[in-house]
Amino acid sequence: MTLEELLSLCVEQDASDLHLVPGVAPYLRVHGDLAPVAGAEPLSGEEVAALAEALVGDHGRSALAKTGIADGALSSAGARFRYNVARRQGELSVALRRLEDSFQSLEQLGLPERLSELCELESGLVMVAGPTGSGKSTTLATLLDRINRERGGHLITIEDPIEYLHTPQRCLINQRQVGTDVPDFHTALVAALRQDPDVILV
């Protein structure tokens, strides 16, 4: 199967995650349950490597050669995906997570409306923390979307990878991906402070 076909299958089956590992069929996580794709053939190491190559591009190849890991995001099959390519036992494996394709309200996320007060701050530092999969990126995307719709200003994001794409509404938005747009978080943050920012998301 091609990468596009696999990502389309992920969307069709409403899967949150897609796993590609040599020696087994592709796995999908649908509503919390992880299972192989029915009727799919096991993938060879060469097939997984080719799919990984289609994902990572030049920067990812460099990171993969250096650290054995490459992260990124892409839009395909009408959805946005975050991916991680990693070496395992001399071969590559790929994990893809389907991202939300629209911004949700705080109420839809089950969060208190008073969090919207963070969008009105003129200065300060806001930290959002939690375990993997707890909704940090989704919460931040919701808050940035609200600022974009309700305030004027310059929003700069520094991300690895860029997960949610923001279209300028009332704000000017510059989203930068570490590794492709900027070499590292430190360099990007120093530069952002010189670019007349109103909000910086790291």
Side-chain angles (χ1 to χ4, degrees):
M1 297 178 88
T2 67
L3 182 60
E4 182 72 22
E5 288 170 335
L6 287 165
L7 296 179
S8 293
L9 184 63
C10 188
V11 172
E12 288 165 16
Q13 301 213 6
D14 195 28
S16 60
D17 299 88
L18 167 66
H19 295 270
L20 309 174
V21 178
V24 296
Y27 270 67
L28 291 175
R29 185 178 299 279
V30 180
H31 307 296
D33 295 325
L34 185 65
V37 173
E41 294 292 320
L43 297 169
S44 68
E46 293 78 17
E47 288 173 312
V48 174
L51 292 165
E53 177 74 18
L55 282 171
V56 301
D58 291 337
H59 166 70
R61 273 192 295 277
S62 172
L64 201 53
K66 187 174 182 180
T67 66
I69 299 169
D71 293 301
L74 77 153
S75 296
S76 183
R80 187 123 175 105
F81 296 86
R82 181 181 68 212
Y83 65 80
N84 173 271
V85 177
R87 292 204 178 281
R88 51 161 309 272
Q89 300 171 339
E91 295 182 301
L92 297 177
S93 66
V94 180
L96 295 113
R97 161 84 37 104
R98 187 167 58 116
L99 303 171
E100 293 290 334
D101 54 7
S102 62
F103 299 109
Q104 299 181 52
S105 67
L106 291 171
E107 181 181 2
Q108 289 171 314
L109 294 176
L111 297 171
E113 184 59 31
R114 70 176 186 275
L115 279 181
S116 65
E117 295 170 12
L118 297 173
C119 300
E120 299 163 13
L121 295 175
E122 292 186 20
S123 63
L125 175 69
V126 175
M127 184 174 290
V128 176
T132 300
S134 63
K136 299 179 299 295
S137 296
T138 304
T139 300
L140 289 168
T142 294
L143 295 175
L144 278 187
D145 179 61
R146 189 168 190 144
I147 292 169
N148 186 23
R149 287 183 289 107
E150 297 180 357
R151 282 175 54 179
H154 185 195
L155 305 184
I156 298 174
T157 74
I158 304 166
E159 304 173 69
D160 184 18
I162 294 172
E163 294 188 14
Y164 293 87
L165 297 174
H166 295 268
T167 301
Q169 295 182 50
R170 292 192 62 196
C171 291
L172 171 65
I173 300 177
N174 281 297
Q175 293 184 261
R176 300 194 175 103
Q177 182 162 310
V178 172
T180 54
D181 300 319
V182 290
D184 53 58
F185 282 101
H186 177 264
T187 303
L189 186 55
V190 169
L193 293 171
R194 298 173 180 157
Q195 294 163 352
D196 186 33
D198 292 288
V199 176
I200 301 173
L201 168 72
V202 179

